[in-house]
Amino acid sequence: MATTTKPNKQRDRQLLELRNAYEGGASIRTLAASTGRSYGSVHSMLRESGVAMRSRGGPNHRTRSR
């Protein structure tokens, strides 16, 4: 018996929402807390959505002067 895969519209919608929130400045930890998903799950979903990942420390991370 052949199985067919239907597009999961709810998942696609969540990927888009996560991507928009992340690109708007939300952190992965914040998104994980608000969705009830793990950090790793949100990170994977963001990668799957094709978002450009920020470097560690977020947008306010600055190199300390010595």
Side-chain angles (χ1 to χ4, degrees):
M1 179 191 307
T3 59
T4 58
T5 57
K6 290 189 267 181
N8 188 336
K9 292 183 182 188
Q10 184 176 0
R11 180 173 170 79
D12 292 344
R13 183 174 39 243
Q14 187 166 38
L15 283 173
L16 182 61
E17 290 172 2
L18 286 171
R19 180 182 177 141
N20 289 338
Y22 184 77
E23 288 178 338
S27 71
I28 296 175
R29 292 198 189 285
T30 300
L31 295 173
S34 68
T35 60
R37 293 184 173 268
S38 70
Y39 179 97
S41 174
V42 171
H43 186 272
S44 295
M45 292 175 77
L46 288 170
R47 297 285 305 241
E48 181 181 334
S49 76
V51 72
M53 304 302 288
R54 296 190 295 261
S55 62
R56 289 182 57 156
N60 295 322
H61 180 74
R62 290 189 169 64
T63 304
R64 192 182 314 180
S65 298
R66 294 186 180 178

